[in-house]
Amino acid sequence: MKESAVDLYKSLLEGDRRAAARLITMVENGDPESREVLRQLHRYSGKAHIIGLTGSPGSGKSTLARGLASHYRQEGLSVGIIAVDPTSAFTGGALLGDRIRMQELSADPGVFIRSMGSRGALGGLAVATNGVINILDAFGKDVIMVETVGAGQVEIEVVKFTHTCLVITMPGGGDEIQAIKAGILEIGDIFVVNKSDREGAPRTAADLEMMLETKPGYDGAAWKPPIISTVALEGEGVVELAAAINSHRQFLEESGKLEEKTIQRMKAEVREILSQKVGRAAEEALTSEGPGEELLRRMAAREIDPHTAADEIAGYLFKGTRD
Amino acid sequence: MERKIRVLLGKPGLDGHDRGILIVGHALRDAGMEVVYSGLKQTPEDLVEAALQEDVDVLVLSILSGAHLALIPRVMELLREREATDILVLLGGVIPPDDAGVMVREHGVAKVFGPGTDTRDIVAYISERKGSR
Ligand SMILES: Nc1nc2c(ncn2[C@@H]2O[C@H](COP(=O)(O)OP(=O)(O)OP(=O)(O)O)[C@@H](O)[C@H]2O)c(=O)[nH]1
Ligand SMILES: [Mg+2]
């Protein structure tokens, strides 16, 4: 490690918030030096309870995160919040506005909030977010919340393997529940009907319950996702929600599923890192320096077909890596 | 490795208008920057803490209330205390020309942009100062 990275790493373990912020930037940028830091930090992480918050835009994810954070602070727990907003595919820029709902937390040194742009790269977000989670975990945060809009595959991937995944809905015209894609129904450990001060909230909760009950495997499931009604703006239902999260944590610990979830999360991470590596190696093998060029020519001359060429390149890539 | 310029938009003080600063925010986003907005009525302490947690390259402040004489020196002092003077501080809103000079010379604000400023000028200024990060 370069001197600077070593310093940051030491400062982080001493509780320096700026060092944490700097390391997070390095991870987001895919800075090669951050990899060594993450390697060192890995053994200090694994203590935090990781909560995912996802759901339709404007459903109240950030407001709920603020409510939960205040609750945890009162219990003496420290909190990290990672708020992901979409990056514009056209410009690469992003407007990150989740902090607006978390103003009252900003004066509390026990809370660390970081806004992230999803930055396009498919799968890359999950890897970056996991890196940031691990930094905040090693930094000593007891609870880490990750907020993403439950719109796309990429965002869902991020919260899928948190310990407790909250799916946030709100009453609205009856279509709200229909808009929850099957994929998001699968990943929710707890469902929240926020904005329960609004008309139609009981209906939304009932619809949700019906959808969950008809979900395959629901009957035999050891954990039945509860539905919690909240008015995040007023802090109503936050205590009940925190209690449900607590029960879920207990369930995970007692059933051995906590380790299983951790393994799932790391498996997804390793898979993504691996496929990035293999993808890059494959690209290189196809350049003029790699063995691909000759094969491509033979393919064009109809001497071999693409599958044979791919097999040969795969053989070249993985030679010596097996047994 | 993909680096992005990160910017925090700040509204210190009590005026409740963020139209102007949001227009700047959109322009910066469209120029490929990551723009964090933390909302209205932020104290200098809130803003500096947010700037550090978000590890921004630039802090863009907008003040319409005339409170810049009290608020800006405090922001700059906190940045110095936290050894974060590498963060570029830009100021917009309603700042009389005489005060603008004081903000830059005495307090370390990088540049003051007046009300009619073309957002492209702000984008260009930030890109020039921080683009090579
Ligand atoms: N009536 C009502 N409004 C709420 C409640 N919770 C949040 N809101 C409001 O709903 C709006 C969106 O809240 P956020 O917390 O920003 O929602 P979000 O899901 O984080 O939004 P995005 O991150 O933009 O997807 C804000 O104006 C909140 O004040 C609630 O319980 N009742
Ligand atoms: Mg939000």
Side-chain angles (χ1 to χ4, degrees):
Chain A
M1 270 196 277
K2 271 200 226 145
E3 197 56 35
S4 62
V6 177
D7 285 348
L8 284 177
Y9 163 69
K10 284 185 187 149
S11 307
L12 174 95
L13 292 178
E14 283 161 12
D16 180 346
R17 294 201 291 283
R18 186 134 206 239
R22 282 269 159 87
L23 285 172
I24 290 172
T25 305
M26 287 169 73
V27 166
E28 276 198 284
N29 290 343
D31 188 329
E33 271 193 56
S34 71
R35 227 170 289 158
E36 184 54 28
V37 175
L38 287 176
R39 205 197 315 267
Q40 300 290 337
L41 283 182
H42 194 77
R43 65 200 149 106
Y44 295 102
S45 61
K47 296 183 201 84
H49 188 70
I50 305 162
I51 302 169
L53 295 97
T54 192
S56 39
S59 54
K61 301 177 291 294
S62 301
T63 312
L64 264 180
R66 173 190 68 198
L68 284 170
S70 304
H71 175 85
Y72 289 127
R73 291 300 293 140
Q74 277 163 26
E75 294 198 327
L77 300 171
S78 63
V79 176
I81 300 174
I82 304 165
V84 184
D85 274 326
T87 293
S88 153
F90 298 109
T91 66
L95 198 52
L96 312 171
D98 296 310
R99 274 194 105 93
I100 300 171
R101 314 283 169 224
M102 305 180 186
Q103 282 196 1
E104 66 186 48
L105 302 171
S106 61
D108 181 349
V111 181
F112 189 103
I113 305 168
R114 180 65 173 233
S115 314
M116 275 176 82
S118 59
R119 296 202 185 179
L122 209 75
L125 178 66
V127 173
T129 314
N130 273 327
V132 177
I133 288 173
N134 286 340
I135 287 173
L136 291 177
D137 192 340
F139 190 47
K141 294 299 171 204
D142 300 306
V143 178
I144 297 169
M145 290 185 255
V146 186
E147 170 188 340
T148 69
V149 172
Q153 199 55 43
V154 188
E155 284 85 0
I156 290 176
E157 197 66 22
V158 171
V159 286
K160 194 167 174 182
F161 298 116
T162 50
H163 293 138
T164 303
C165 180
L166 313 182
V167 173
I168 324 288
T169 64
M170 58 181 171
D175 299 335
E176 182 62 27
I177 297 298
Q178 295 308 322
I180 301 179
K181 309 217 175 60
I184 213 171
L185 207 60
E186 298 304 321
I187 63 171
D189 296 308
I190 296 171
F191 289 81
V192 178
V193 179
N194 187 41
K195 306 198 185 184
S196 286
D197 52 327
R198 288 201 183 163
E199 212 177 313
R203 178 68 205 272
T204 303
D207 286 354
L208 200 51
E209 197 174 347
M210 210 172 69
M211 283 182 81
L212 286 174
E213 276 171 2
T214 53
K215 207 175 74 174
Y218 179 85
D219 275 341
W223 173 262
K224 295 203 175 9
I227 299 167
I228 313 280
S229 295
T230 59
V231 184
L233 214 47
E234 312 294 335
E236 274 172 42
V238 169
V239 174
E240 289 79 0
L241 179 57
I245 293 169
N246 223 1
S247 304
H248 186 246
R249 168 85 192 188
Q250 244 168 2
F251 161 76
L252 290 176
E253 281 171 358
E254 283 160 13
S255 62
K257 285 220 160 50
L258 190 65
E259 194 191 5
E260 200 178 294
K261 278 225 179 192
T262 305
I263 288 174
Q264 288 294 333
R265 188 160 64 89
M266 288 181 177
K267 182 174 164 189
E269 194 177 353
V270 172
R271 179 192 291 126
E272 184 52 40
I273 294 168
L274 206 55
S275 72
Q276 279 174 12
K277 268 187 203 278
V278 172
R280 268 197 301 272
E283 280 304 323
E284 275 166 30
L286 289 170
T287 61
S288 53
E289 275 102 66
E293 208 197 11
E294 169 67 15
L295 291 169
L296 292 174
R297 256 189 258 288
R298 286 173 56 201
M299 238 165 50
R302 308 287 146 167
E303 288 172 32
I304 55 168
D305 74 299
H307 283 279
T308 310
D311 281 345
E312 288 208 17
I313 291 170
Y316 163 84
L317 287 178
F318 297 123
K319 119 182 123 222
T321 56
R322 259 171 295 187
D323 59 57
Chain B
M1 205 167 103
E2 186 194 17
R3 284 183 168 163
K4 292 209 191 277
I5 299 177
R6 287 175 62 87
V7 181
L8 176 67
L9 304 179
K11 281 292 301 177
L14 297 178
D15 72 87
H17 303 281
D18 56 6
R19 237 181 71 104
I21 200 161
L22 282 174
I23 290 170
V24 173
H26 285 124
L28 298 181
R29 178 198 60 189
D30 292 345
M33 300 179 198
E34 284 183 350
V35 182
V36 181
Y37 181 47
S38 58
L40 297 165
K41 301 183 181 168
Q42 298 282 280
T43 66
E45 285 77 8
D46 290 341
L47 285 170
V48 169
E49 184 58 40
L52 295 184
Q53 289 180 6
E54 297 289 353
D55 194 22
V56 294
D57 308 282
V58 186
L59 176 55
V60 177
L61 301 171
S62 158
I63 303 179
L64 303 170
S65 61
H68 53 277
L69 289 176
L71 294 167
I72 296 302
R74 181 70 185 138
V75 169
M76 302 310 292
E77 183 188 333
L78 287 165
L79 286 173
R80 275 190 297 275
E81 264 174 32
R82 306 288 294 271
E83 294 174 28
T85 47
D86 53 316
I87 296 175
L88 196 69
V89 180
L90 307 183
L91 179 58
V94 185
I95 314 292
D98 285 354
D99 292 356
V102 173
M103 293 293 136
V104 173
R105 280 192 313 275
E106 287 176 25
H107 299 293
V109 169
K111 202 167 165 62
V112 178
F113 290 96
T117 305
D118 189 328
T119 53
R120 280 172 299 191
D121 293 341
I122 304 176
V123 170
Y125 182 78
I126 293 177
S127 302
E128 191 200 312
R129 293 287 303 268
K130 289 292 181 179
S132 59
R133 172 182 160 164

